Amino acid sequence: MKEPVGGSIGMRMKSCSGFRIRSSQAIQICVSTFVLMLLAAAECERRCIADTPAGSHPTGKLELAPASVRRAWVIPNGRIIQPVGALTMVDNFPLGITSTPDGRRLLVVSSGAGKQSISILDGGTMQVMHSEPVKSVFHGAAVSRDGAKVWVCGGGANNIQVFSLRAGKLAPAGVIPVPGYPASCRISADGSKLYVTCNLAGLVRVLDVRTDKIIGEIQTGIFPFGIALTPDGAKGYVSNWSDGTVSVLDLKESRPVATLQAGGLPCGIVCSPDGKHVYVANANTDELTVIDATKDVVERTVGLHPYPKAPHGAAPNGIQVSPDGTRLFVTMAGINAVDVLSLPECRVIRQIPTAWYPTGIFASNSSLYVVNSKGAGSGPNKHGGDIGTMMHGAVQKIDLNSQVPASGIQDVARLNGYADRLKGVFAKTAPIVNRLSSIVGLPSGIKHVVFIVRENRSYDQVLGDLGYANGDPTLTIFGERITPNLHALARRFAIADNMYGDGEVSVQGHQWTLGANCPDYVEKTWQAYYSRRGRFGDIIPGPASYPAFGYMMDHCVRKNVSCRMYGDFVRRERGGRPVAELADKVCVAYTGWNLNVPDQERAAAWLEDFRAGNFPRFSYIWLPNDHTAATKPGMLTPRAMVADNDLATGRVFEAISHHPEWKDTVIFLTEDDTQDGRDHVDAHRNILLIASPWVKPGSVATRHYSFGNIYATMERFLGLPPLSQYDDLADPISGIWADKPDTRPYTSIAARVPLGEKNLQTAAMAKESKTLDLEEPDANTGPLLERILWASAKGADRPKRVTK
């Protein structure tokens, strides 16, 4: 790949501090770099071809002019993807990629919640030659030196699956029991051993490839994920997810020799061809750890922040070195790009736009292959279909000699909405973070923000019958008769009909509602948990699933903003207790997940706390019962549980609207995700209600919004900086705010269906409902719950497969 004209225009402010150069050199480099970035951003403005980020576009493919412009899609978080090069769709949520030694064939490991598989692609044409379905795989694969044998990590199956490979076809050739959740694997330099990270065992297991037997094991840190081997076969390096470390292994002695501190959630790890350096991508802290492999010390840490003062969220997770050792490629899942760094300087010199959520990467001498786990999104699910499994992954091929765009840095900035941050580098008075509230006419003097989160309903499923917004009433099953309060609140206040959940299921959804981000750990593991493939649950998450700086509750405590949690999780110590600084911020009388407890009881617990004087600046209230218990005999019917949830919602709004400080309050209501409902726009389309005396009655916010926009709005009211890049780059919600307050209180509406109505043995799909595990949110509901709810309300039908 050729060096860009004019030098390294992609080097960022943070990179300057990562080099061991004299200060005068650093200043000269930074100044020249910023000038070039400023010029590039100005040029970008002249050649923009779409709204940045999405404007008022819904999700889906963008029709752009001229026709020669490469394909583009709007994804649920409001950003645009325009992947460079050839794009081939593969199975659900691909994670791993490798190649045969001759480079002619690619192996792609798809670890989604539905069908899991190993696909063989022609490295030249990118045609899928063969797709071998398997019961369970996770991330890692390796190929023998002669290209005839393949080993694939089985994840929750606790095995390594062996295949023969011939003429682009895989054939099963055996299974090797390997306990501990095999995650990644590498072949030794001499081709005689296979080293396997066992993610849940804290071990690397060593296999003899001639006998396919385990011949040893080496201790690592907690949750080992990636593994890299030195070319001479002497040492191995393992990235440990949970404790943020790298284990250094003596492969000849089969023992650990050092533990090095990396960043938050170290994922991809690779050794340079000369064996002198090891590079680690830290997904939670947007950093590259550079290890001197001759001394086994951390040489430096390089920030991969996409713009000055960027909070976390770029999520570097996959990594590869070019065969000649002069370039380093890092997948940036949060900004849908590949960073190209020059070596050994570790300077970002280019960026390459990708599809949605790149996680895996492989480099040959002339081509770069990128695995994009979420492809181009989901699209509508008007005829049913599971949001998690309807998203096809995509493999992207980029010609390194001709398809690495010189404009890549400004392209990625434009597609993600931070081109203005690059322009503002020189402007000392220009705001870099948290643009002023006045740009969208937000009301001033707001003292209280209340965030109400409910469970799993899509827009059309509940509000499709509203009449004056973009809804499809044929998909509405919990309409006004069942949810009179939500409908009345929508008419009295404001809704958004172009708002989307950023995640697909609840374990992601609660990460987004709690902290405006979803760590890469959760993105990579939820499919195994939801499909019962051997992964433990992350419903009550541990440290590996926490964002680098915690959640909104942590944020409020750090900034001395009063806050209170009702029902949802907070960071916890060992033993399950909230961490000390949050212990008094949790209402212990409020019940979290338990579908046997009505939301009326939760509303009553909140009311008692509220009337006792607990009305902090930020309140988070979880009302989960609109999740329903399906048609499980003896449990409340779906419509009774949704009606219970609706009445509880109305009671909370009623109480707040009668409070003396109602004039200074804003309430946001949403669902954590939309996995159990149908929608004619997109399977990710969510409910968003905004209530305040400062809201125009009956208004509809039509611009493209997601959880980032909700947080961007709440943070401005509370005077808080952003939690992540998602809320930092999101605009506050606009078009609904009034110049004068209307302080009329709200009176809740009594339920119109019996709240005690229970499912009978004869209920639609009662037999299937009996199989559901309802002890935890979404423990095994998968796509089944949506089908049951539809059958209960509308009668059974056959969901149609939706393809991109």
Side-chain angles (χ1 to χ4, degrees), residues 61-81:
K61 191 172 181 180
L62 280 172
E63 298 300 328
L64 302 173
S68 60
V69 172
R70 62 183 186 269
R71 294 172 295 176
W73 291 265
V74 174
I75 56 178
N77 61 25
R79 303 185 187 190
I80 298 169
I81 55 170

Side-chain angles (χ1 to χ4, degrees), residues 261-309:
Q261 191 63 49
L265 200 73
C267 288
I269 185 168
V270 68
C271 189
S272 61
D274 61 9
K276 293 181 179 180
H277 289 92
V278 171
Y279 305 98
V280 189
N282 302 301
N284 273 9
T285 49
D286 294 354
E287 295 169 330
L288 175 72
T289 299
V290 182
I291 296 171
D292 183 334
T294 65
K295 301 176 183 177
D296 287 331
V297 296
V298 174
E299 181 178 289
R300 63 184 184 269
T301 299
V302 180
L304 296 178
H305 315 286
Y307 55 92
K309 299 186 180 181

Side-chain angles (χ1 to χ4, degrees), residues 326-597:
T326 65
R327 297 290 183 270
L328 184 69
F329 305 100
V330 184
T331 54
M332 307 293 285
I335 58 171
N336 310 309
V338 170
D339 273 8
V340 184
L341 291 81
S342 64
L343 295 178
E345 306 93 332
C346 289
R347 292 187 296 117
V348 177
I349 57 173
R350 291 284 175 87
Q351 283 185 317
I352 305 171
T354 67
W356 190 12
Y357 211 81
T359 54
I361 192 163
F362 178 81
S364 70
N365 288 317
S366 60
S367 298
L368 191 65
Y369 301 92
V370 182
V371 165
N372 300 278
S373 293
K374 298 191 180 188
S378 61
N381 61 343
K382 184 173 181 176
H383 302 289
D386 175 44
I387 186 173
T389 61
M390 66 194 292
M391 295 170 63
H392 292 272
V395 182
Q396 186 176 349
K397 180 184 179 181
I398 302 127
D399 188 318
L400 291 174
N401 296 315
S402 62
Q403 291 182 320
V404 179
S407 61
I409 287 173
Q410 57 262 43
D411 288 345
V412 172
R414 169 176 56 83
L415 297 171
N416 287 279
Y418 59 81
D420 61 328
R421 310 302 175 93
L422 300 186
K423 286 195 303 179
V425 167
F426 276 120
K428 293 182 179 180
T429 58
I432 299 296
V433 182
N434 253 2
R435 282 167 284 179
L436 298 175
S437 298
S438 61
I439 63 172
V440 290
L442 294 183
S444 61
I446 295 297
K447 295 179 182 178
H448 303 281
V449 172
V450 180
F451 193 24
I452 300 174
V453 176
R454 311 191 309 179
E455 285 289 312
N456 298 17
R457 306 278 67 86
S458 70
Y459 180 93
D460 275 340
Q461 193 180 30
V462 181
L463 291 177
D465 64 342
L466 196 56
Y468 58 86
N470 183 16
D472 184 343
T474 67
L475 302 180
T476 303
I477 61 176
F478 299 122
E480 186 160 10
R481 181 164 179 263
I482 299 171
T483 55
N485 283 285
L486 186 64
H487 284 71
L489 288 165
R491 296 188 180 100
R492 169 67 176 82
F493 298 108
I495 60 164
D497 65 355
N498 195 17
M499 182 267 176
Y500 305 83
D502 295 70
E504 288 72 58
V505 296
S506 287
V507 294
Q508 301 160 288
H510 283 269
Q511 294 282 345
W512 286 106
T513 60
L514 288 161
N517 196 0
C518 182
D520 189 63
Y521 172 84
V522 179
E523 294 285 6
K524 283 190 169 87
T525 58
W526 75 259
Q527 294 87 355
Y529 171 64
Y530 273 60
S531 60
R532 293 304 200 197
R533 287 181 167 106
R535 194 83 198 179
F536 59 83
D538 289 303
I539 300 301
I540 300 176
S545 65
Y546 295 153
F549 287 138
Y551 300 106
M552 182 64 161
M553 294 291 291
D554 303 282
H555 202 40
C556 287
V557 170
R558 280 193 300 268
K559 300 297 182 181
N560 296 313
V561 172
S562 60
C563 59
R564 196 144 178 86
M565 169 58 71
Y566 298 91
D568 216 332
F569 64 77
V570 295
R571 286 189 306 113
R572 296 180 179 272
E573 300 172 343
R574 293 191 179 190
R577 293 173 300 182
V579 295
E581 58 268 31
L582 297 177
D584 65 342
K585 306 297 188 295
V586 176
C587 180
V588 295
Y590 192 97
T591 303
W593 177 267
N594 185 341
L595 292 180
N596 292 302
V597 174

Side-chain angles (χ1 to χ4, degrees), residues 91 120 158 223 230 236 294 368 396 493 511 573 584 620 675 683 687 691 694 700 728 755 758 761:
D91 288 324
I120 306 296
N158 291 308
F223 290 1
T230 55
T294 65
L368 191 65
Q396 186 176 349
F493 298 108
Q511 294 282 345
E573 300 172 343
D584 65 342
Y620 184 112
Q675 65 178 303
I687 294 166
W694 295 96
V700 180
D728 186 31
L755 296 185
K758 292 187 176 181
Q761 295 286 345

Side-chain angles (χ1 to χ4, degrees), residues 786-798:
E786 186 278 319
R787 290 173 52 209
I788 294 171
L789 295 179
W790 183 264
S792 175
K794 299 273 192 176
D797 69 357
R798 181 174 297 175

